[in-house]
Amino acid sequence: LHSRDTMSDEDLCCPVCCDIFKNPVVLSCSHSFCKDCLSNWWREKPTRECPVCKSRSSKSDPPCNLALKNLCEAFSKERDQRAPETLCRLHSERLKLFCLDHQELVCVVCRDSRRHADHRFKPIDEAAQDIKEELQNSLKPLKEKLKLFEEVKGNCDQTAEHMKVQARRAERQIKEQIKKLHRFLEEEEEARISALREEEEQKSGVMKEKMEALSREIAALSDTVRATEDELRAEDISFLNNYKAVVERVQQRPLLEDPQLLSGALIDEAKHLGNLTFNIWSKMKDLVSYMPLVLDPNTADSELVVSTDLTSVRSGKGQRLPKNVERTKFPCSVLGSEGFDSGTHTWDLEVGNNPDWELGVLGENVQVNALWRILFSDGKFTAFSTPDQEEDLPVMKELRRVRVHLDFLRGILSFSDLDTKAHIHTFTHGFKDTVFPYIYTENPLPLKILPVKVTVKVKRFIFNQRV
């Protein structure tokens, strides 16, 4: 027998039942068998012979192989403690098979039982290999789904970081724009208060001179009146002696015109306060501008750089941007922030010397690539739309500014030279989906949206009242 350290269950198996010895007995030929297995074997044979070597046994009741019995019991106990799951719970036999119908491990006794009649079985190793292959195949879509979730999670992380960058950038722009307005209002306040104080100083000076002149006249007249009244209170002889001098003094005093109040002496509050906020707002129009088209940086391709005021775009170094839903699927392009599904709309762009650009509109349903645009590349002009074929256009010399006009209801999209008013091309199409302004460029020279002139008009209404 082997030592316990190198012993396996095959070393302790009965040659007849192929299971661990139970009550082993030993024959004179030194072969051992389970006592019951040997009895059953001899019962079917005419002579008592060894099932292995066929030697005849002289004893009908062979002795117990005590050493082997102790080894088997120790081995079984150790095996049960080490791997109880390898034994059948019903029969305490070793689990060697896998029932394909019940999808469970079974022993040889279970296999022959009524519960597993006509079932299909496989050895454990074969069944395990087949099931592992099935699970591997089942894991493939889960792994793909996991990869997708990880990609989306990574994009969400990137989006969260990009949102912080956007918020800080927008905050800086808001503060800068508000500071400009603050500076304008501060300068306007200073100028208006300065004008008010200048008027106050000028009119106060005039009033001071007027008051000083009146004071001098009052003093002179007061002296004449007082001296004359003193003479009138003198004795008759004294009065008559000075009479001629008193009369001469009174008569020689010129009689001034009556003093008049100055016209326009008060501060002209109406000039300084009348429609104050409206007048300031009217002047502010020179400081502010209105853009009929504002670019949406969330739609811009990573190869484009949109200006901080969202009014121009150029090609630049590739950026690491989130794969958000709004971002255009067309390379090197950006969309307007507002889509149109009705009305008429016009916007102007300065293309300047940019040698590579496209202008037009993109349908909201980008899956069908609904795009209408004119192209300028390699010195050639081309018109292209999804429903139609490309069309070469006449060369527009020195084209610097382009006007785009959309009449949604009439289904007209036209392009013209803003400076010469020359017509470039017109698309006619029954627009159904919302369309967004579309700009494309692969050149570092910017394409700029031009502002609309802001004017302020006041309408006066005259009401006729009948008596």
Side-chain angles (χ1 to χ4, degrees):
L1 294 176
H2 297 81
S3 65
R4 288 185 58 181
D5 294 337
T6 60
M7 195 186 321
S8 66
D9 54 352
E10 294 181 357
D11 297 326
L12 303 179
C13 287
C14 171
V16 176
C17 67
C18 298
D19 206 346
I20 302 299
F21 287 107
K22 294 180 181 178
N23 296 323
V25 293
V26 61
L27 299 180
S28 58
C29 61
S30 299
H31 290 125
S32 296
F33 305 93
C34 295
K35 184 175 182 179
D36 291 341
C37 292
L38 184 61
S39 299
N40 293 334
W41 179 272
W42 281 353
R43 190 179 298 117
E44 297 177 359
K45 301 296 181 179
T47 59
R48 293 190 294 273
E49 59 181 20
C50 174
V52 174
C53 64
K54 308 303 181 181
S55 299
R56 290 190 178 186
S57 176
S58 59
K59 297 179 181 180
S60 61
D61 188 13
C64 175
N65 190 338
L66 186 59
L68 180 58
K69 180 180 180 183
N70 292 336
L71 284 175
C72 290
E73 290 178 352
F75 180 83
S76 298
K77 182 178 180 181
E78 181 179 353
R79 184 189 61 180
D80 294 346
Q81 292 176 349
R82 184 176 67 248
E85 68 276 4
T86 62
L87 297 180
C88 176
R89 294 181 179 180
L90 297 177
H91 308 104
S92 298
E93 297 289 338
R94 187 182 177 197
L95 297 171
K96 295 183 177 182
L97 302 171
F98 185 76
C99 178
L100 300 178
D101 296 274
H102 281 174
Q103 294 290 297
E104 63 181 12
L105 291 167
V106 296
C107 66
V108 292
V109 179
C110 293
R111 177 195 61 189
D112 298 332
S113 67
R114 185 183 305 166
R115 181 171 181 269
H116 293 280
D118 300 326
H119 283 187
R120 295 167 299 133
F121 300 91
K122 276 189 176 182
I124 288 179
D125 56 346
E126 293 183 11
Q129 183 178 356
D130 293 344
I131 294 176
K132 286 179 181 179
E133 291 178 358
E134 292 180 5
L135 283 176
Q136 288 291 347
N137 293 332
S138 300
L139 277 178
K140 287 182 180 179
L142 295 180
K143 288 181 177 180
E144 293 175 357
K145 185 69 69 174
L146 175 61
K147 182 179 179 181
L148 176 61
F149 272 86
E150 289 174 346
E151 290 177 353
V152 174
K153 173 61 166 55
N155 190 60
C156 288
D157 293 338
Q158 184 183 359
T159 300
E161 291 300 319
H162 190 67
M163 287 169 56
K164 295 178 181 178
V165 174
Q166 285 183 303
R168 300 293 82 77
R169 183 171 58 206
E171 182 178 342
R172 288 194 301 270
Q173 288 300 309
I174 291 172
K175 288 182 177 180
E176 289 180 8
Q177 295 299 322
I178 297 299
K179 281 182 180 178
K180 289 182 181 179
L181 298 179
H182 281 171
R183 285 195 295 269
F184 169 80
L185 292 175
E186 289 170 357
E187 292 171 359
E188 188 69 16
E189 177 187 6
E190 183 179 348
R192 290 180 178 273
I193 291 178
S194 177
L196 173 62
R197 289 175 178 171
E198 183 180 349
E199 181 181 352
E200 178 190 14
E201 183 179 349
Q202 187 267 332
K203 290 188 174 181
S204 295
V206 173
M207 185 58 64
K208 182 179 179 181
E209 293 177 359
K210 177 70 174 177
M211 293 170 63
E212 290 176 351
L214 289 174
S215 297
R216 290 192 297 269
E217 292 298 330
I218 290 173
L221 288 174
S222 297
D223 290 344
T224 301
V225 170
R226 185 170 54 255
T228 303
E229 288 179 343
D230 289 343
E231 292 294 334
L232 290 174
R233 288 192 293 271
E235 296 293 336
D236 291 344
I237 294 175
S238 176
F239 171 73
L240 291 175
N241 285 331
N242 297 325
Y243 165 68
K244 290 182 178 181
V246 172
V247 171
E248 183 178 353
R249 184 170 62 244
V250 172
Q251 290 179 348
Q252 287 180 352
R253 183 70 184 175
L255 186 61
L256 301 176
E257 295 181 358
D258 294 342
Q260 301 292 325
L261 296 176
L262 293 176
S263 175
L266 298 178
I267 298 295
D268 190 355
E269 292 187 68
K271 180 181 71 173
H272 297 287
L273 299 179
N275 291 318
L276 177 61
T277 54
F278 175 80
N279 292 331
I280 294 175
W281 177 64
S282 298
K283 289 185 66 176
M284 194 179 290
K285 74 179 186 298
D286 298 328
L287 179 67
V288 301
S289 60
Y290 174 75
M291 296 292 177
L293 171 61
V294 176
L295 300 178
D296 183 358
N298 292 337
T299 67
D301 181 71
S302 60
E303 299 294 329
L304 294 184
V305 177
V306 179
S307 62
T308 54
D309 60 358
L310 312 182
T311 61
S312 68
V313 61
R314 61 177 177 82
S315 177
K317 185 178 179 181
Q319 308 170 73
R320 189 169 179 266
L321 299 175
K323 297 179 181 180
N324 52 301
V325 178
E326 299 81 7
R327 203 165 301 282
T328 176
K329 306 300 187 297
F330 296 91
C332 302
S333 64
V334 62
L335 304 181
S337 61
E338 180 183 2
F340 307 125
D341 59 3
S342 63
T344 59
H345 309 274
T346 301
W347 57 95
D348 304 325
L349 295 104
E350 181 180 343
V351 297
N353 294 320
N354 191 314
D356 186 7
W357 51 263
E358 299 178 12
L359 303 176
V361 296
L362 175 68
E364 185 175 35
N365 187 0
V366 297
Q367 301 300 328
V368 296
N369 300 335
L371 183 60
W372 298 263
R373 67 192 188 274
I374 59 171
L375 302 79
F376 178 67
S377 181
D378 297 330
K380 294 175 55 179
F381 285 89
T382 308
F384 179 80
S385 65
T386 303
D388 304 318
Q389 299 296 323
E390 292 187 12
E391 178 182 348
D392 293 334
L393 301 177
V395 176
M396 305 291 295
K397 294 183 179 180
E398 297 183 357
L399 178 63
R400 292 293 179 268
R401 302 192 300 171
V402 179
R403 167 159 289 182
V404 184
H405 178 76
L406 171 67
D407 188 333
F408 190 92
L409 295 181
R410 294 174 59 193
I412 295 176
L413 177 65
S414 63
F415 303 84
S416 60
D417 185 333
L418 181 61
D419 297 311
T420 65
K421 311 303 179 186
H423 175 259
I424 299 175
H425 186 72
T426 296
F427 292 104
T428 55
H429 179 78
F431 299 112
K432 296 180 180 179
D433 297 324
T434 301
V435 295
F436 290 83
Y438 167 90
I439 300 177
Y440 163 98
T441 183
E442 290 188 46
N443 196 273
L445 293 177
L447 301 176
K448 300 179 181 179
I449 302 167
L450 299 177
V452 175
K453 184 177 180 180
V454 179
T455 59
V456 178
K457 293 183 179 180
V458 177
K459 291 185 177 180
R460 298 182 181 274
F461 297 92
I462 300 177
F463 297 92
N464 295 325
Q465 184 177 3
R466 294 184 179 181
V467 180

